[in-house]
């Protein structure tokens, strides 16, 4: 079998084209070095099919295979599925901790402690008003001061309770907005399902849809912040996405199964919001403890103010002063100058109500600090994993510049080979057999 005359040109041309593709891919990597979600690409080259020469040697009769150049097998996207899975798992936990920290910090601000306007200061002022009344039990001004201090204390209880309720309500509304119609979950899931369909068609046609794969991975990272996800790769290129502890997968090929019921075990932002707003959650616990403090305060004062209950209401939200200044009881007798009741109520300072409130403030503070510590620890973990992902999938400009030079040299060498072979053919065609050559 003879060797085709123009095979050398084709061989050189294949190197020229392959290196040109490699240069294009390298340039694309450099252009997207700072593009979020972009995965580094590389050209996978392979030798093209050789030409078999049955008997190249007249002595041995042995044949050979003549190389015909290089082909671009595919443009591969560099990605580590294990690191992606680890990142999404930790990102769900981080998002949950961040949501806990944010909501609990808002709840903590409702107590406004320590401050001159917090409940601790208001209770102290209330006891001081009764102490002043004990020193002047017949003073109408002192009685009015007692009523005013009680009203301010009750109003502060009402305000703190209202702010805790607002934090809980806003958390519930946030959950509803994310999971509702056209919410973040539904929109992201629809985009993943659409990309599944497009990727399936592209891969079925023998194409490598790297940009669509990057976009889908970016959406999956985003969904992992809302709840824990499990991604199962299918043979046709689609991803099946399990979301939180929902019974059905969120995405199956091009189908979206939403809405579904989630629980606090779903982790992520949604799991944290459900945990915070549940009857056994932190916000409900704070509200319950505050109600207990208000109830203790009201019952202890009313037990001593026997002529008529000083406070009405059994919760922080409903606590009110139920007497006027003229109804304030300073003494348990009709004797002029009696102050037994005023002294007894003033002696409640530092008692069960204040101790209960101090314990509540300490509980809130420790809960918030624990959430912050967990968030900081998880942030360190997520950052470390993401750095590993970037070391694999991210674009290194130093590496790309090196590749750029390598492929440029390859292109130049192929071009030089092409030029040399062209010159040889020109010599053969134009000058062979010419008289005087």
């Amino acid at each position: 079998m003879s060797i085709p005359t123009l095979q050398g040109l084709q061989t050189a041309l294949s190197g020229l084209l392959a290196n040109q593709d490699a240069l294009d891919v390298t340039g694309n990597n450099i252009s997207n070095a700072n593009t979020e979600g972009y995965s580094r690409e590389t050209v996978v080259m392979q030798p093209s099919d050789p030409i078999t020469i049955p008997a190249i040697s007249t002595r041995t009769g042995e044949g050979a295979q003549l190389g015909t150049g290089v082909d671009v097998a595919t443009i591969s996207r560099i990605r580590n599925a294990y690191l992606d899975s680890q990142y999404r798992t930790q990102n769900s936990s981080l998002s949950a901790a961040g949501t806990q920290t944010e909501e609990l910090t808002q709840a903590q601000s409702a107590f406004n402690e320590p401050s001159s306007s917090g409940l601790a200061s208001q209770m102290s002022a209330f006891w001081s008003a009764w102490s002043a009344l004990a020193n002047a039990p017949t003073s109408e001004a002192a009685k009015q001061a007692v009523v005013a201090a009680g009203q301010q204390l009750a109003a502060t209880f009402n305000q703190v309770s209202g702010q805790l309720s607002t934090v809980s309500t806003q958390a519930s509304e946030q959950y509803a907005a994310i999971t509702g119609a056209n919410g973040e979950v539904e929109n992201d899931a629809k985009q993943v399902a659409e990309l599944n369909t497009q990727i399936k068609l592209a891969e079925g046609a023998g194409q490598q849809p790297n940009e669509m794969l990057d976009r889908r991975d970016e959406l999956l990272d985003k969904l992992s912040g809302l709840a824990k996800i499990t991604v199962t790769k299918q043979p046709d290129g689609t991803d099946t996405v399990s979301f939180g502890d929902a019974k059905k997968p969120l995405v199956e090929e091009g189908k979206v199964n939403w809405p579904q019921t989630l629980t606090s075990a779903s982790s992520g932002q949604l799991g944290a919001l459900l945990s915070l707003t549940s009857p056994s959650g932190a916000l409900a616990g704070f509200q319950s403890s505050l109600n207990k403090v208000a109830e203790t305060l009201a019952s202890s004062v009313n037990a001593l103010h026997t002529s008529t209950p000083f406070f009405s209401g059994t919760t922080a939200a409903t606590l009110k002063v139920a007497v006027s200044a003229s109804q304030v009881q300073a003494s348990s007798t009709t004797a002029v100058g009696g102050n037994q009741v005023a002294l007894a109520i003033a002696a409640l300072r530092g008692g069960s109500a204040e101790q209960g409130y101090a314990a509540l403030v300490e509980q809130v503070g420790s809960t918030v600090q624990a959430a912050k510590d967990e968030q900081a620890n998880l942030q360190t973990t997520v950052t470390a994993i993401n750095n590993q992902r970037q070391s694999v999938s991210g674009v290194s400009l130093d590496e790309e510049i090196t590749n750029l030079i390598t492929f440029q040299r390859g292109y130049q060498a192929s071009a030089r080979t092409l030029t040399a072979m062209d010159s040889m053919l020109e010599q053969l065609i134009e000058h062979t057999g010419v008289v005087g050559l």
Side-chain angles (χ1 to χ4, degrees), residues 19-354:
N19 281 285
Q20 181 177 347
D21 287 343
L23 284 169
D24 290 340
V25 170
T26 302
N28 187 51
N29 285 341
I30 293 173
S31 299
N32 287 281
N34 297 315
T35 301
E36 185 177 358
Y38 178 79
S39 300
R40 177 169 59 91
E41 297 177 351
T42 183
V43 172
V44 178
M45 299 183 188
Q46 65 182 17
S48 55
D49 294 335
I51 295 175
T52 300
I53 304 174
I56 195 172
S57 172
T58 58
R59 288 188 177 183
T60 65
E62 294 179 353
Q65 287 188 335
L66 178 65
T68 58
V70 63
D71 288 333
V72 174
T74 185
I75 298 176
S76 178
R77 188 179 71 119
I78 307 301
R79 199 83 184 191
N80 188 309
Y82 173 76
L83 289 177
D84 285 341
S85 177
Q86 289 296 307
Y87 173 84
R88 289 162 188 161
T89 298
Q90 296 300 325
N91 189 48
S92 294
S93 299
L94 174 61
S95 182
T99 301
Q100 289 270 2
T101 299
E102 181 181 353
E103 299 297 328
L104 291 174
T105 300
Q106 291 183 30
Q108 185 182 38
S109 66
F111 291 92
N112 195 25
E113 298 288 358
S115 73
S116 59
S117 59
L119 275 172
S121 295
Q122 297 300 327
M123 278 193 275
S124 179
F126 182 63
W127 307 133
S128 296
W130 280 104
S131 181
L133 178 61
N135 293 329
T138 59
S139 170
E140 291 297 322
K143 292 182 179 181
Q144 184 59 51
V146 167
V147 172
Q151 290 173 337
Q152 182 60 45
L153 177 58
T156 304
F157 267 106
N158 302 159
Q159 181 181 5
V160 174
S161 178
Q163 289 178 341
L164 288 177
S165 296
T166 298
V167 172
S168 182
T169 299
Q170 289 176 341
S172 296
E173 291 174 348
Q174 187 178 7
Y175 178 87
I178 294 173
T179 59
N182 297 319
E184 197 170 343
V185 174
E186 185 177 35
N187 287 338
D188 290 348
K190 285 181 177 178
Q191 291 183 64
V192 171
E194 183 179 350
L195 286 166
N196 269 347
T197 301
Q198 295 174 354
I199 290 169
K200 180 179 178 180
L201 292 173
E203 292 194 356
Q207 300 173 359
Q208 184 71 11
N210 291 334
E211 286 73 17
M212 287 188 283
L213 291 169
D214 282 345
R215 176 57 183 158
R216 185 174 65 181
D217 279 331
E218 190 176 5
L219 287 167
L220 293 174
D221 287 349
K222 186 179 177 183
L223 281 171
S224 73
L226 299 179
K228 62 184 179 182
I229 66 170
T230 302
V231 181
T232 304
K233 301 290 183 182
Q234 302 299 330
D236 60 2
T238 62
D239 280 350
T240 299
V241 184
S242 298
F243 187 70
D245 55 357
K247 292 183 178 180
K248 295 181 179 180
L250 176 64
V251 180
E252 293 178 288
E253 292 191 358
K255 178 184 177 183
V256 174
N257 299 312
W258 194 256
Q260 294 189 67
T261 301
L262 302 178
T263 70
S264 57
S266 295
S267 189
Q269 182 181 7
L270 297 178
L273 291 173
L274 287 172
S275 175
L276 286 166
T277 56
S278 71
S280 59
L283 295 178
F286 295 161
Q287 188 71 267
S288 177
S289 296
L290 184 66
N291 288 337
K292 187 175 181 180
V293 172
E295 182 182 5
T296 300
L297 173 71
S299 60
S300 60
V301 171
N302 290 346
L304 297 172
H305 198 274
T306 55
S307 60
T308 183
F310 186 88
F311 286 113
S312 65
T314 57
T315 66
T318 60
L319 187 67
K320 291 182 180 179
V321 173
V323 299
S324 62
S326 62
Q327 295 174 304
V328 172
Q329 182 184 3
S331 173
S332 57
T333 67
T334 58
V336 177
N339 63 356
Q340 300 92 333
V341 173
L343 284 173
I345 295 177
L348 293 174
R349 182 193 297 271
S352 298
E354 281 188 293

